[in-house]
Amino acid sequence: MKSVLIGSALAIVIFLWLNGFNIMPLIIAAALILALFYLMLGQGQMKLGSGGSSRDKNSKLNFDQIGGQDCAINELQEALQFVMQPEKIDHMGIRPLKGILLAGPPGTGKTLMARAAASFTSSAFIAASGSEFIEMYAGVGAKRIRQIFSSARKEAKRLNKKSAIIFIDELEVLAAKRGSHSGHMEYDQTLNQLLVEMDGMSQNKDPRILLIGATNRADLLDPAVLRPGRFDRQVQVDLPDRAGRAKILSIHTRNKPLDPAVNLDDVSRATFGFSGAHLESLANEAAILAMREDSPIIKQNHFREAIDKVMMGEKLDRQPSLSEMERISIHESGHALVCDFLQPGSVASLTIVPRGKALGFMRRSPQDDQYLYTYEELEQQIMTMLAGALAEELRFGSRSSGARNDFQQAWNVAREMISSGLSSLGVVSDDHIPVQTVYDEGKRIIAAAESKTRTLLEENKERLFNLAVCLSQQESLGRPSLEKILYA
Ligand code: ATP
């Protein structure tokens, strides 16, 4: 049909030309119409590049290659039985599962879990991100939703699979509470289309489709998305604990030549708060550092430096002035002295080599994960944070702007003490406590910590000044030098 039309059009144009007509306006108009047509087609096309590449990768990925998420994986596998045992589900009269929501911080392995789910259930896999559905043009998002469902069905048929998994990352972009995008009905239309497709899923069972959504902000999702019959199951994918971090590190060092003396447990203890993505980057950075030194194997010190790099950023060439170096040295020495006196053995090293946004920093010794803190422990954290500025004051009679971030963190801890009912205000409600009351109590907590820190530093002034001099001369101090100066 298409070729008949094109052929007839060409024949008419040639006929007109042979009869002396000016066919130039006709050619220009046809070119314009064609360009417009392809432009609109392009807008409507779903960019399934991620899904396409994921199809190839998912065949290789399984749950063994995901570390530190045992609970989440168990929950997910349990939910996946719905896809794997359809006859049993039908027999029991159970409503099939349509959607699973993976919620958790960035880089914790949600995408990996969706891909592993596809190979676990032997399903076709199509992936897209919430932002790919949102366009300025009305109706494009809704069209893309329809398209992704039909692509999933086609892909399952092509691969001869009985089921398909559609993975939508950044679900909150596409499924935020309706009305939250003022004046932008396109968002609401796209979400409505998703709900319509989900409602239609139970009628169309060949192939079975399962939707897996991932989000960092489950609180932003429209309640209609989370109601029973839609994203029925929510699986929390949290930051890994110490054992989980060790497992993830072992996964990402499998293909790397490690020094047999490397202790990944120590590395995992020093990386509290790291996500799987951070740990993957850490293993990669350690290998890069080893390669830069021409070392054929990756050693513990490469991991140590890689932790600093992932936490603080790359070392900078920026060279502070001599007076600034002295100030930074006393500032970092203040942090180190107070931290180690309050918790002996807690400081691992100290440096004034600038890295990322920090002009210097103190590294703590690996500790076990801690989730609960007493008043005293939180106060000690505030004292360590204030110690940098107070040490500057003791040495030079003035503070500098370098303590801004320390003060911000000290305030955050004070606020946490108040919210947790640890302050002199007793149990409070965050929603009803007046701002001024929080401010006054925070000031009182910080002033008390400040006075204790000042006394500690004044009592150990000689040690503090010695430490600062050694640090400015050597730029970095490890635990042995630190102990010699602080406890000699
Ligand atoms: P986002 O919310 O930002 O989309 P995500 O939770 O989907 O992140 P992934 O894309 O799955 O995170 O992970 C990014 C990379 O981090 C992975 O390719 C993998 O190398 C590593 N990674 C993250 N979590 C884990 C884990 N639990 N086990 C092993 N590797 C992990």
Side-chain angles (χ1 to χ4, degrees):
M1 181 67 186
K2 211 161 126 189
S3 41
V4 171
L5 275 176
I6 293 173
S8 322
L10 268 176
I12 293 172
V13 169
I14 292 168
F15 174 77
L16 290 174
W17 180 55
L18 289 175
N19 284 285
F21 278 92
N22 178 8
I23 55 164
M24 217 42 203
L26 267 179
I27 293 176
I28 293 172
L32 278 175
I33 291 169
L34 264 177
L36 209 67
F37 177 72
Y38 278 109
L39 208 71
M40 287 179 67
L41 201 72
Q43 291 295 346
Q45 285 296 320
M46 184 71 214
K47 296 169 207 145
L48 285 176
S50 50
S53 55
S54 309
R55 279 175 217 150
D56 313 326
K57 287 186 217 158
N58 86 71
S59 53
K60 284 172 230 145
L61 195 101
N62 57 49
F63 285 117
D64 294 345
Q65 286 153 272
I66 305 174
Q69 297 297 352
D70 294 351
C71 289
I73 289 174
N74 282 344
E75 247 181 278
L76 181 60
Q77 284 183 343
E78 195 190 287
L80 291 174
Q81 297 304 324
F82 280 82
V83 181
M84 296 164 76
Q85 303 182 345
E87 292 81 20
K88 225 173 173 179
I89 300 294
D90 276 352
H91 174 72
M92 299 302 287
I94 297 172
R95 169 170 51 77
L97 188 72
K98 292 180 186 169
I100 300 175
L101 182 68
L102 305 177
T108 42
K110 297 182 290 297
T111 309
L112 292 184
M113 286 175 69
R115 284 174 45 206
S119 57
F120 184 71
T121 53
S122 184
S123 303
F125 184 68
I126 296 278
S129 164
S131 49
E132 288 173 37
F133 293 90
I134 303 302
E135 283 284 348
M136 304 158 53
Y137 308 100
V140 172
K143 185 173 174 192
R144 287 181 179 173
I145 293 278
R146 285 193 295 276
Q147 208 174 2
I148 198 170
F149 275 82
S150 89
S151 301
R153 288 194 181 96
K154 276 188 206 146
E155 182 66 2
K157 288 208 169 114
R158 188 180 73 82
L159 298 173
N160 211 9
K161 305 266 187 197
K162 290 201 167 69
S163 53
I165 287 184
I166 299 176
F167 173 62
I168 303 183
D169 203 359
E170 300 179 358
L171 188 66
E172 73 280 2
V173 179
L174 152 72
K177 291 188 178 98
R178 275 170 287 189
S180 53
H181 303 281
S182 53
H184 208 329
M185 289 301 286
E186 168 61 357
Y187 283 90
D188 296 354
Q189 274 185 25
T190 309
L191 173 55
N192 288 340
Q193 187 61 43
L194 177 72
L195 301 179
V196 168
E197 290 288 344
M198 287 190 86
D199 290 344
M201 272 159 75
S202 44
Q203 276 104 56
N204 198 341
K205 287 185 182 168
D206 185 28
R208 290 180 308 283
I209 300 229
L210 177 70
L211 210 56
I212 298 187
T215 180
N216 309 137
R217 294 293 309 271
D219 56 313
L220 295 184
L221 295 178
D222 194 285
V225 175
L226 299 176
R227 80 144 169 78
R230 300 222 172 109
F231 280 95
D232 273 317
R233 295 284 170 110
Q234 273 203 42
V235 176
Q236 194 60 33
V237 189
D238 278 325
L239 289 173
D241 62 6
R242 189 164 65 75
R245 292 196 296 276
K247 173 84 198 296
I248 297 174
L249 281 168
S250 72
I251 292 172
H252 289 292
T253 48
R254 263 181 209 158
N255 61 345
K256 297 182 172 61
L258 289 195
D259 179 352
V262 164
N263 186 341
L264 288 181
D265 269 344
D266 262 4
V267 182
S268 68
R269 223 177 284 139
T271 47
F272 180 71
F274 274 41
S275 66
H278 281 125
L279 294 166
E280 188 271 338
S281 163
L282 166 65
N284 202 45
E285 290 299 338
I288 292 173
L289 290 169
M291 199 175 72
R292 264 190 213 161
E293 280 178 17
D294 253 342
S295 164
I297 49 173
I298 309 169
K299 301 186 185 145
Q300 193 80 19
N301 65 312
H302 298 130
F303 278 101
R304 226 173 286 136
E305 193 168 330
I307 296 176
D308 291 347
K309 188 168 170 195
V310 173
M311 267 188 193
M312 319 284 300
E314 184 66 273
K315 272 185 192 163
L316 302 178
D317 291 333
R318 192 174 55 201
Q319 194 61 30
S321 68
L322 204 64
S323 63
E324 274 179 331
M325 294 261 273
E326 282 176 4
R327 200 175 264 282
I328 300 165
S329 302
I330 194 82
H331 184 104
E332 295 306 325
S333 302
H335 285 312
L337 183 140
V338 169
C339 185
D340 213 74
F341 278 14
L342 294 174
Q343 281 181 300
S346 59
V347 180
S349 64
L350 205 52
T351 180
I352 54 166
V353 177
R355 211 182 244 288
K357 285 189 182 157
L359 293 171
F361 66 97
M362 171 191 90
R363 184 149 52 117
R364 291 168 187 264
S365 305
Q367 291 163 350
D368 283 335
D369 294 3
Q370 189 172 354
Y371 302 97
L372 295 174
Y373 297 89
T374 62
Y375 183 94
E376 287 69 29
E377 286 167 331
L378 291 173
E379 191 184 42
Q380 287 177 359
Q381 286 185 12
I382 296 181
M383 287 175 69
T384 302
M385 286 159 198
L386 300 179
L390 295 178
E392 283 183 47
E393 204 173 70
L394 197 63
R395 173 73 182 77
F396 299 112
S398 64
R399 301 176 183 181
S400 68
S401 58
R404 187 165 174 257
N405 193 33
D406 295 338
F407 293 157
Q408 202 55 50
Q409 286 186 31
W411 260 101
N412 290 344
V413 176
R415 227 172 279 136
E416 192 183 333
M417 288 160 96
I418 297 168
S419 298
S420 317
L422 298 175
S423 74
S424 66
L425 296 174
V427 178
V428 294
S429 153
D430 277 340
D431 295 334
H432 299 108
I433 186 167
V435 177
Q436 187 63 40
T437 314
V438 175
Y439 182 77
D440 291 344
E441 182 61 7
K443 282 287 279 179
R444 194 197 61 73
I445 293 172
I446 288 179
E450 193 174 340
S451 147
K452 286 185 192 175
T453 313
R454 190 174 281 115
T455 311
L456 187 59
L457 289 172
E458 276 168 357
E459 283 170 0
N460 296 283
K461 204 163 142 182
E462 287 298 305
R463 290 189 171 98
L464 174 70
F465 290 179
N466 272 344
L467 185 61
V469 170
C470 291
L471 183 59
S472 65
Q473 285 167 352
Q474 296 180 32
E475 290 198 341
S476 296
L477 295 175
R479 180 82 205 162
S481 326
L482 201 78
E483 273 186 11
K484 238 184 254 165
I485 303 165
L486 289 184
Y487 300 106

